[in-house]
Amino acid sequence: MSFRIDVFTIFPDLVEAMASASVIGRSRSAGTLDVRVHDLRTAATDRRRSTDDAPFGGGAGMVMTPQPLFDAVEAVDPPRPLFCLSPAGRRFDQAMAGELASSTGFSMLCGRYEGVDERVCEHLVDGEVSIGDVVLSGGEAAALVVMEAVARCVPGVLSNEASTAEESFSDGLLEYPQYTRPASFRGWSVPEVLLSGDHGRVARWRRAHSLARTIERRPDLIEARGGLSDEERELLAAHGLDPATGESRSS
Ligand code: SAH
C-alpha cells in the first residue's frame, strides 16, 4: 500500500516540479508514495478565480478566502490529519516527521498572501505546522520541506533502510563528519581511522564525533537527552575531545 500525501495550493506546478524528481519522484513511480497536488483555483467560483480578499479591519495585503479552500478539500476528502502551513503552527521536526511517516498519509494546505481566513484554521484543518521561525511568501516551500522529511522516513522510500537510522537527530544527536575520496585533498587528509578498515574503531570514532559536534553546536540536544553518560565522557576523552565543549584538545 502506498503512503499518500495531498497538497492544496494555488501553485500546483511549483509543488509538482519538486515532487517529481529524485527520491520522491522515484517513490511515486514505484508506487511507494502517492502524492496528489490539488489546484485551489479550480474551486474558486468567481470569474477571476480569485482565492483572496481584503482583510476585515483593514491593513496591508490580502487574505485567502474560505470558500475555495473548503470546497477543494471537501471535493477530495484527503487523508487526515490535514495541516495548514503557517509560521504560527507547531514547529516541525524530525520526531514529527517520524510520527507522520508511521501512519498511512496526511495532507497539507499552503497559504499565500498574508495567510488564510481563521475559519479555515478552526473548522477545516486539523492543525497548523511551521517549518521554523522564518516568514516565507507561501506554504509551498514549507510543504515540500515537510514532504521530503516525512517521505524519507516512510518504509521502502530510501533503498538503504539504515541510512535514516544513523542520521542527524535519529538518536538525539547530530551526525558525525563524513568523508569520501580522495583520501588527501589539497593537503587535507581524511582521519586515519576511517581508512583503517577496523569497523569497531570506525564506529567508536563516529560516535565520539557525533557527540562532540552536538555538544559544540547544539547543547540543547544534549540537555534534552539528559546530558552525557560516564561511558560517553570516556569515549570523548579517548578521542581527544573535551566533554564540556566538544572541541578537540590537541588543536
Ligand atoms: N502574515 C503571516 C505570514 C503569511 S506568509 C504572519 O505574519 O504570520 C504566507 C504563507 O506562507 C502562510 O500562510 C503560510 O502558509 C506560509 N508560510 C510562511 N512562513 C511559514 C513557515 N515558517 N512555516 C510554514 N509556512 C509558512
Side-chain angles (χ1 to χ4, degrees), residues 80-109:
R80 300 271 176 165
L82 164 63
F83 297 111
C84 182
L85 278 319
S86 160
R90 167 183 171 191
R91 178 83 145 263
F92 183 67
D93 61 14
Q94 194 61 27
M96 187 175 177
E99 260 171 53
L100 286 173
S102 65
S103 68
T104 57
F106 69 102
S107 306
M108 292 180 281
L109 176 63

Side-chain angles (χ1 to χ4, degrees), residues 116-132:
V116 304
D117 187 290
E118 187 63 19
R119 287 163 292 189
V120 170
C121 310
E122 286 177 352
H123 305 294
L124 181 63
V125 303
D126 304 302
E128 294 171 63
V129 172
S130 166
I131 57 143

Side-chain angles (χ1 to χ4, degrees), residues 64 84-88 109-116 129-140 142-143:
M64 289 186 95
C84 182
L85 278 319
S86 160
L109 176 63
C110 303
R112 275 275 155 181
Y113 318 109
E114 288 308 311
V116 304
V129 172
S130 166
I131 57 143
D133 291 345
V134 291
V135 180
L136 306 168
S137 296
E140 288 76 14

Side-chain angles (χ1 to χ4, degrees), residues 44-58:
T45 48
D46 69 322
R47 216 190 286 166
R48 279 182 45 245
R49 293 220 171 274
S50 52
T51 52
D52 61 308
D53 210 332
F56 278 123

Side-chain angles (χ1 to χ4, degrees), residues 39 48 55 63 71 124 150 153-154 169 238:
D39 187 354
R48 279 182 45 245
V63 174
D71 286 356
L124 181 63
V150 173
C153 294
V154 170
F169 310 117

Side-chain angles (χ1 to χ4, degrees), residues 62-74:
M62 300 296 268
V63 174
M64 289 186 95
T65 187
Q67 175 267 318
L69 310 191
F70 272 82
D71 286 356
V73 168
E74 284 162 358

